[in-house]
């Protein structure tokens, strides 16, 4: 036997002996023998003597008397080590010895949950509540399972029950507030979280969620205040940096947002989502080269991960700097992950339109319709597609659909009326002009288009109304934009009639 091995054994013996001596100073020896083993084993576990603790608990479990808690503790050791199957074996034995042990059932359920067997876990917690309807831990665990299943109403009911029976435990109150955030009951959640921060110290989760509630309520200054408190409390949590950075971007404090991301990076939080948010901030500021750099850093730190949004944003930034090959490459990588990504589809549509490859663009254009917020833009692109295909009816329908989603878009009206005018649909063009003139007044583009439409009607109309209207518009153009007026010939033609 080597000296090195002998020293190792001696060190373990000394560690155990020291632990036992220390325990005898603070521990009381109970009347029931197996309980002495359990108590000492608990102490050894807490002081790092895991193997010795497990050995003592095994001995305690062999006592004839009811020793289910020794088996429960053995399960706890295996569970802490990640051996969930072995832990479950001990919990089963514990419950067999003591069919009223709700603790064994709850821990059994926890292991099933960690093995992703949610329904099995729920059954164990419900069984525990059949035995003891006042078991707050079972209600708490059951609520967490419903939370995982996104059954928020059921989760809240269980957390509220747990609050009744776990008055000194802040977890049920915190989780109940978290569910209320998901249900949109922000004020109720805020009341609970404020109670938590007033009665506990350094509760990072509560401060973070308070900041998030204020973000949802668009009370951005309050959001910033609580997010900063959360960061000061726990500077190693990336989610609060992202919340704070996004908030600063929303209120147009770009410099502060960039400082937040820099601060997160300085704390070693080099994650995919940090660089995604950081790059997005630069993208919104139209600093596309900086955005590309941050997105690339995101790819570097997350080589094992894939993210459709990051690829799509890279594609958009490369499109803006006119690097169409890279833009296509990243757009297609995004669509490999999700063929419904709006930004990636939009980029490919724009590139293919520029290449006049309209037929290939069409399939990507259809995919853009999934984004409800961008339907006005998408239908405008459909109109341009049908214009190129000389399908007048479908082009007009697409212009109308675009205006349904954005009734005050001056540029869409200008393009639509110009198209109607070029196709000699002057009557429809005049109707649209009425709306456009109300929206845009005497803008040069509006007056120019109004002159063209009225002039074209006047050429084929024997009545004087449109001739007078066209002359009136021309004179307003001459007065307001003398350097831009380029209808001199047409104007004199109308005046001479």
């Amino acid at each position: 036997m080597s000296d090195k091995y002998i020293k190792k054994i001696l060190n373990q013996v000394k560690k155990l002996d020291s632990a036992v001596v220390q325990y005898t100073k603070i521990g009381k020896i109970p009347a029931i023998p197996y309980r002495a083993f359990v108590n000492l084993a608990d102490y050894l576990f807490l002081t790092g003597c895991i193997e010795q603790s497990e050995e003592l608990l095994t001995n305690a479990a062999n006592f004839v008397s009811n020793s289910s808690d020794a088996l429960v503790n053995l399960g706890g050791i295996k569970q802490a080590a990640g051996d969930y199957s072995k832990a479950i074996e001990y919990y089963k034995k514990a419950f067999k010895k003591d069919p009223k042990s709700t603790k064994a059932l709850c821990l059994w359920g926890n292991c099933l949950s960690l093995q992703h067997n949610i329904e099995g876990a729920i059954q164990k917690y419900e069984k525990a509540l059949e035995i003891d309807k006042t078991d707050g831990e079972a209600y708490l665990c059951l609520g967490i399972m419903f939370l995982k299943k996104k059954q928020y109403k059921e989760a809240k009911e269980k957390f509220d029950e747990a609050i009744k029976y776990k008055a000194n435990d802040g977890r049920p109150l915190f989780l109940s507030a978290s569910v209320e955030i998901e249900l949109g009951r922000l004020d109720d959640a805020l009341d609970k979280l404020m109670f938590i921060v007033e009665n506990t110290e350094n509760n990072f989760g509560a401060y973070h969620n308070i900041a998030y509630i204020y973000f949802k309520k668009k009370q951005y200054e309050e959001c910033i205040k609580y997010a900063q408190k959360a960061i000061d409390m726990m500077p190693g949590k990336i989610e609060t940096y992202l919340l704070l950075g996004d908030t600063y971007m929303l209120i147009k404090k770009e410099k502060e947002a960039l400082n937040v991301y820099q601060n997160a990076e300085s704390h070693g939080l080099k994650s995919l989502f940090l660089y995604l948010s950081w790059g997005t901030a630069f993208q919104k500021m139209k600093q596309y080269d900086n955005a590309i750099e941050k997105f690339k850093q995101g790819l570097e730190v997350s080589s094992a991960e894939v993210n459709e949004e990051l690829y799509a944003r890279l594609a958009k930034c490369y499109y803006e700097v006119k690097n169409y090959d890279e833009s296509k490459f990243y757009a297609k990588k995004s669509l490999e992950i999700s063929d419904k990504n709006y930004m990636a589809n939009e980029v490919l549509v724009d590139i293919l339109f520029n290449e006049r490859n309209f037929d290939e663009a069409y399939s990507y254009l259809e995919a853009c319709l999934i984004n409800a917020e961008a339907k006005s833009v998408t239908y405008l692109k459909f109109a341009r597609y049908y214009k190129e295909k000389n399908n007048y009816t479908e082009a007009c329908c697409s212009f109308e659909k675009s205006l349904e989603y954005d009734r005050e878009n001056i540029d869409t009206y200008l393009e639509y009326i110009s198209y109607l005018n070029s196709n000699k649909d002057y009557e429809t063009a005049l109707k649209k002009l009425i709306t456009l003139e109300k929206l845009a007044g005497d803008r040069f583009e509006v007056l120019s288009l109004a002159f063209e439409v009225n002039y074209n009607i006047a050429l084929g109309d024997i009545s004087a109304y449109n001739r007078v209207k066209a002359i009136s518009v021309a004179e307003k153009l001459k007065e307001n934009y003398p350097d831009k007026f380029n209808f001199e010939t047409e104007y004199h033609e109308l005046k001479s009639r």
Side-chain angles (χ1 to χ4, degrees):
M1 186 179 292
S2 70
D3 290 342
K4 183 178 179 182
Y5 190 68
I6 291 170
K7 285 180 181 178
K8 184 178 179 183
I9 293 174
L10 288 172
N11 286 336
Q12 287 179 339
V13 170
K14 286 178 182 177
K15 185 178 180 183
L16 176 59
D17 184 56
S18 173
V20 171
V21 170
Q22 180 65 21
Y23 176 70
T24 59
K25 292 178 181 178
I26 62 172
K28 292 183 178 179
I29 306 302
I32 303 174
Y34 90 86
R35 170 54 60 190
F37 280 81
V38 173
N39 290 351
L40 177 56
D42 286 348
Y43 180 77
L44 291 172
F45 181 80
L46 292 172
T47 54
C49 301
I50 309 298
E51 292 178 9
Q52 294 86 346
S53 174
E54 187 174 351
E55 184 179 348
L56 283 171
L57 287 169
T58 302
N59 290 334
N62 290 328
F63 276 81
V64 176
S65 59
N66 188 334
S67 55
S68 67
D69 50 352
L71 291 164
V72 166
N73 287 4
L74 279 167
I77 290 173
K78 294 301 180 184
Q79 185 173 338
D83 189 349
Y84 305 127
S85 297
K86 189 66 178 177
I88 287 172
E89 287 182 24
Y90 282 120
Y91 296 144
K92 283 182 179 178
K93 289 178 182 177
F95 186 67
K96 187 175 181 181
K97 277 202 168 189
D98 180 9
K100 293 184 178 181
S101 176
T102 59
K103 184 177 181 181
L105 285 170
C106 286
L107 290 169
W108 186 352
N110 291 350
C111 283
L112 291 172
S113 170
L114 290 165
Q115 291 178 324
H116 308 292
N117 183 355
I118 304 299
E119 295 304 323
I122 287 174
Q123 288 176 8
K124 297 297 171 241
Y125 303 138
E126 288 178 339
K127 178 70 175 175
L129 289 171
E130 286 176 13
I131 296 168
D132 182 1
K133 291 183 179 180
T134 68
D135 191 315
E137 189 68 21
Y139 283 117
L140 179 64
C141 293
L142 193 52
I144 291 170
M145 293 305 100
F146 285 127
L147 190 58
K148 284 187 175 184
K149 294 175 70 176
K150 298 186 187 257
Q151 294 177 225
Y152 299 120
K153 182 181 176 183
E154 293 83 352
K156 184 179 180 329
E157 289 173 358
K158 302 308 175 188
F159 292 141
D160 288 349
E161 286 296 313
I163 290 168
K164 293 180 188 176
Y165 305 112
K166 294 176 77 70
N168 296 322
D169 188 339
R171 292 176 300 161
L173 192 63
F174 176 80
L175 289 168
S176 179
S178 300
V179 171
E180 285 178 332
I181 293 173
E182 295 293 339
L183 293 171
R185 297 168 59 175
L186 301 182
D187 291 331
D188 291 339
L190 190 58
D191 288 342
K192 286 186 173 68
L193 293 167
M194 285 298 188
F195 177 83
I196 290 172
V197 299
E198 287 166 7
N199 291 278
T200 61
E201 293 183 357
N202 298 327
N203 198 313
F204 163 81
Y207 277 99
H208 174 85
N209 278 5
I210 289 170
Y212 179 66
I213 288 172
Y214 281 125
F215 179 85
K216 296 279 283 184
K217 289 163 71 74
K218 299 183 180 180
Q219 294 177 234
Y220 298 123
E221 293 302 327
E222 287 296 303
C223 171
I224 290 168
K225 181 175 79 173
Y226 281 94
Q228 194 57 65
K229 284 182 179 180
I231 288 172
D232 293 342
M233 200 175 293
M234 197 170 289
K237 291 288 188 178
I238 187 63
E239 58 265 32
T240 313
Y241 290 98
L242 301 183
L243 175 61
L244 185 56
D246 289 347
T247 304
Y248 276 129
M249 285 302 298
L250 275 171
I251 60 176
K252 310 297 182 188
K253 290 189 175 182
E254 290 90 354
K255 183 179 178 181
E256 287 83 351
L258 298 179
N259 285 339
V260 168
Y261 302 133
Q262 182 69 58
N263 189 22
E265 187 183 52
S266 72
H267 282 89
L269 304 174
K270 298 180 180 181
S271 73
L272 169 69
F273 293 104
L274 170 65
Y275 291 113
L276 179 57
S277 291
W278 203 342
T280 300
F282 277 127
Q283 184 180 359
K284 288 177 179 177
M285 296 163 66
K286 301 189 186 302
Q287 296 184 24
Y288 299 115
D289 289 328
N290 287 335
I292 289 168
E293 179 188 344
K294 293 305 171 188
F295 292 142
K296 287 290 188 72
Q297 283 181 265
L299 290 177
E300 288 171 11
V301 300
S302 60
S303 56
E305 296 179 69
V306 288
N307 188 282
E308 62 170 282
E309 185 183 353
L310 189 146
Y311 286 136
R313 289 190 176 280
L314 262 174
K316 183 69 172 175
C317 289
Y318 274 120
Y319 176 81
E320 295 294 346
V321 298
K322 297 182 168 42
N323 187 338
Y324 299 129
D325 289 338
E326 288 293 295
S327 181
K328 266 187 181 180
F329 173 77
Y330 284 109
K332 288 182 177 179
K333 281 189 76 69
S334 176
L335 295 180
E336 285 173 9
I337 302 167
S338 171
D339 60 3
K340 294 178 174 61
N341 186 284
Y342 170 76
M343 192 175 290
N345 280 295
E346 179 198 38
V347 164
L348 287 172
V349 167
D350 292 341
I351 291 173
L352 292 167
F353 269 28
N354 290 341
E355 295 173 351
R356 302 195 63 75
N357 189 348
F358 297 105
D359 289 332
E360 187 180 349
Y362 188 85
S363 62
Y364 298 113
L365 189 55
E366 283 192 311
C368 289
L369 284 173
I370 198 165
N371 187 335
E373 293 179 4
K375 282 193 175 180
S376 175
V377 174
T378 303
Y379 277 115
L380 180 58
K381 290 178 181 179
F382 269 111
R384 290 168 182 167
Y385 167 82
Y386 286 119
K387 280 167 64 177
E388 293 294 336
K389 305 300 286 185
N390 295 315
N391 189 332
Y392 178 74
T393 302
E394 288 298 328
C396 289
C397 285
S398 297
F399 275 121
E400 292 289 350
K401 290 288 288 183
S402 178
L403 290 170
E404 278 181 28
Y405 288 97
D406 187 358
R407 296 187 180 278
E408 297 186 358
N409 193 309
I410 292 168
D411 291 334
T412 303
Y413 274 108
L414 286 167
E415 188 172 342
Y416 186 17
I417 294 166
S418 180
Y419 181 62
L420 293 168
N421 184 52
S422 64
N423 282 273
K424 301 180 179 180
D425 189 348
Y426 305 127
E427 183 178 347
T428 307
L430 275 175
K431 290 178 182 177
K432 299 299 173 187
L433 264 171
I434 293 170
T435 304
L436 178 59
E437 287 168 342
K438 288 178 182 177
L439 290 172
D442 292 341
R443 273 178 51 171
F444 173 76
E445 298 87 352
V446 177
L447 291 173
S448 297
L449 192 54
F451 176 78
E452 289 181 36
V453 172
N454 282 285
Y455 171 77
N456 286 328
I457 295 174
L459 290 180
D461 191 350
I462 58 172
S463 71
Y465 175 79
N466 290 107
R467 182 174 69 84
V468 172
K469 175 68 174 175
I471 290 170
S472 172
V473 173
E475 288 174 347
K476 187 176 288 188
L477 267 168
K478 284 165 68 73
E479 180 185 351
N480 294 348
Y481 306 98
D483 296 334
K484 292 184 177 182
F485 186 74
N486 56 359
F487 299 113
E488 204 67 55
T489 302
E490 291 86 348
Y491 172 65
H492 286 297
E493 178 188 353
L494 293 171
K495 289 285 287 183
S496 63
R497 285 176 63 180

